[in-house]
Amino acid sequence: MPTRTIPSASWWHPIRDAAKKTVRAVAGPRAYSWVAAKYSWGTTLLNYALMRVPGLDRIVRIGAWPHSLYIEGTNICNAECVFCAYPEMQRPKKVMPMELFKSVIDQYAAMGGTEVDLTPIVGDPFVDGKIFERLDYLASKPELRRFHFFTNAIGMKPELSQKLLKYGAKLRVYISFGGFDRQTYLKVFGVDKFDAAAPNIKAAIEAKRASGSTLGLQINLRTPRDNNKGELWDYFLAAKKDGVIEMTWMGAFDSWAGHIKERELTDAGLVARPMPVKKGPCHWPLTGPVVLADGRVNACAARDVEATLIIGDLGKQSLSEILSGPALRELLDRQARGDHPDVCRRCTYYDPVLPYWVVGQPDRKDPAAPVDLER
């Protein structure tokens, strides 16, 4: 069977990009976000429907169409955030060899994939000594349209920010930030690194401003709402107004399948996310599988910190075989029957593929969706 399994048409991408710019300019960011979310959900629902057609896989290989392929360059982090299960992780801490990384990227591009996320289940990319070697390889692949990662910016020193500028619009860096004062930051991120992270973020903003680079830079606040104030807050707002950065604030935090207790979030001034309705399969096995540092592939890049949803091993199978294979289909079938694996049963990040009127919820509104910070 052919390797290519992910729909990708070069003529469609510029049309879609132009439509995005038009909607954003005419209707505004909120309308754009709504349209983008509906488009993303619609393609995922189509993907799931095709995988459920009996006998179709005998004619053409239908597998998952990841919105991004998540790759665990490393699962080592330099923070101990109150909202993250990293401090409790038991699986071995590793760094992915470059040979494996290149093989994964080559296979994914050959399948029709166009987007890569270097944010694994846990870990910070700047702890990975190979991060720029990985970024250079991604940038060298014309098939890949964009790549991105989350970082806490603790290790993103000014000289590293300067190196990021050359990737331009193909790279988007999402910076998680935990508080506008040292005490709040320590309570949320679990490490006394406010005096490292804040200057690093400001250096990145000023480097982009001075260079005119098209590098994507977004600050994602993981802060108590009443902490959004002060000199640094005003600086971020000014940079946002100038178009140098984007900025969002997370309204609610999930439990990482029970690893994070509501009381721990409340003590840090954060809000816990409620348990969602779990009717039908979750979208994550289709939209966000993750290649672990040891070459195994886990169905969920979101909250399965111990990687219990393994669907294949790149030492034994190709990526195409794994993403269209029986292990992934069986997981989706189990979720459809309501026979959830333990990590899914306990997860508050579970997001069904099915329309919400089928699931039994009025809409697809996410309690953790970004909030308009200037209202």
Side-chain angles (χ1 to χ4, degrees):
M1 288 187 176
T3 303
R4 192 178 188 87
T5 59
I6 303 172
S8 180
S10 58
W11 59 267
W12 170 242
H13 294 312
I15 295 175
R16 187 179 65 178
D17 290 347
K20 285 181 177 180
K21 290 181 180 179
T22 301
V23 172
R24 197 176 191 113
V26 174
R30 297 183 72 176
Y32 166 78
S33 296
W34 183 88
V35 172
K38 295 299 182 183
Y39 174 85
S40 176
W41 168 74
T43 57
T44 304
L45 182 60
L46 175 61
N47 184 191
Y48 176 65
L50 290 175
M51 289 186 71
R52 300 283 288 185
V53 175
L56 183 59
D57 58 338
R58 298 194 191 100
I59 303 172
V60 60
R61 178 177 288 173
I62 299 292
W65 303 341
H67 294 174
S68 291
L69 182 67
Y70 290 75
I71 299 180
E72 186 179 81
T74 183
N75 58 7
I76 304 171
C77 194
N78 49 6
E80 297 185 355
C81 301
V82 68
F83 54 82
C84 178
Y86 174 74
E88 296 187 24
M89 184 179 74
Q90 298 299 309
R91 63 188 175 96
K93 295 178 172 62
K94 292 181 176 290
V95 175
M96 178 181 284
M98 273 305 298
E99 305 78 47
L100 174 58
F101 180 83
K102 291 180 178 180
S103 174
V104 171
I105 296 303
D106 291 347
Q107 291 184 58
Y108 180 59
M111 291 168 60
T114 60
E115 192 161 331
V116 171
D117 196 316
L118 295 180
T119 306
I121 304 171
V122 292
D124 189 277
F126 286 103
V127 178
D128 180 5
K130 302 179 186 298
I131 179 59
F132 284 98
E133 193 175 353
R134 303 195 200 282
L135 292 174
D136 286 343
Y137 194 72
L138 292 171
S140 74
K141 305 293 288 187
E143 306 95 319
L144 299 180
R145 305 189 70 244
R146 58 180 65 90
F147 41 95
H148 34 80
F149 60 79
F150 275 82
T151 177
N152 54 40
I154 293 171
M156 194 175 74
K157 298 179 180 180
E159 59 269 26
L160 301 183
S161 294
Q162 287 286 344
K163 293 176 67 174
L164 294 174
L165 300 175
K166 68 178 181 180
Y167 302 108
K170 288 191 74 172
L171 173 62
R172 176 170 287 269
V173 178
Y174 298 91
I175 301 174
S176 295
F177 189 64
F180 287 92
D181 59 79
R182 184 176 176 182
Q183 183 178 2
T184 302
Y185 186 96
L186 174 59
K187 187 178 293 185
V188 175
F189 269 33
V191 290
D192 190 10
K193 294 294 183 179
F194 174 83
D195 292 333
N200 285 347
I201 297 171
K202 292 180 72 172
I205 292 172
E206 291 309 313
K208 180 181 175 181
R209 189 194 299 273
S211 69
S213 171
T214 54
L215 170 76
L217 205 56
Q218 179 169 311
I219 298 176
N220 295 67
L221 300 179
R222 282 77 169 96
T223 55
R225 184 65 183 266
D226 61 3
N227 185 249
N228 296 338
K229 58 187 177 183
E231 182 180 346
L232 184 58
W233 163 255
D234 291 338
Y235 173 83
F236 285 170
L237 283 181
K240 179 176 182 287
K241 183 177 180 180
D242 292 342
V244 181
I245 64 169
E246 295 179 39
M247 186 164 62
T248 65
W249 175 77
M250 181 171 281
F253 295 79
D254 63 281
S255 72
W256 282 75
H259 284 284
I260 308 300
K261 308 303 180 188
E262 184 173 349
R263 174 183 51 79
E264 296 170 332
L265 294 171
T266 302
D267 288 349
L270 306 179
V271 177
R273 183 178 184 138
M275 185 66 74
V277 175
K278 298 177 183 178
K279 186 174 182 180
C282 179
H283 76 77
W284 277 100
L286 294 169
T287 62
V290 56
V291 180
L292 304 177
D294 60 10
R296 294 179 301 154
V297 180
N298 199 60
C300 178
R303 296 300 184 258
D304 185 16
V305 67
E306 300 299 348
T308 63
L309 301 175
I310 298 297
I311 55 174
D313 187 333
L314 288 168
K316 303 173 183 177
Q317 306 155 276
S318 70
L319 184 62
S320 175
E321 289 170 333
I322 292 170
L323 296 186
S324 59
L328 175 58
R329 293 174 185 272
E330 173 57 24
L331 173 59
L332 293 171
D333 287 345
R334 284 189 63 183
Q335 292 179 335
R337 298 192 303 267
D339 176 23
H340 296 101
D342 186 56
V343 68
C344 301
R345 180 179 55 80
R346 293 182 285 109
C347 184
T348 56
Y349 209 61
Y350 196 102
D351 189 11
V353 172
L354 300 176
Y356 267 38
W357 59 267
V358 173
V359 172
Q361 294 185 12
D363 55 35
R364 300 190 66 82
K365 186 175 181 181
D366 185 345
V371 173
D372 186 345
L373 294 166
E374 295 185 86
R375 289 180 64 86

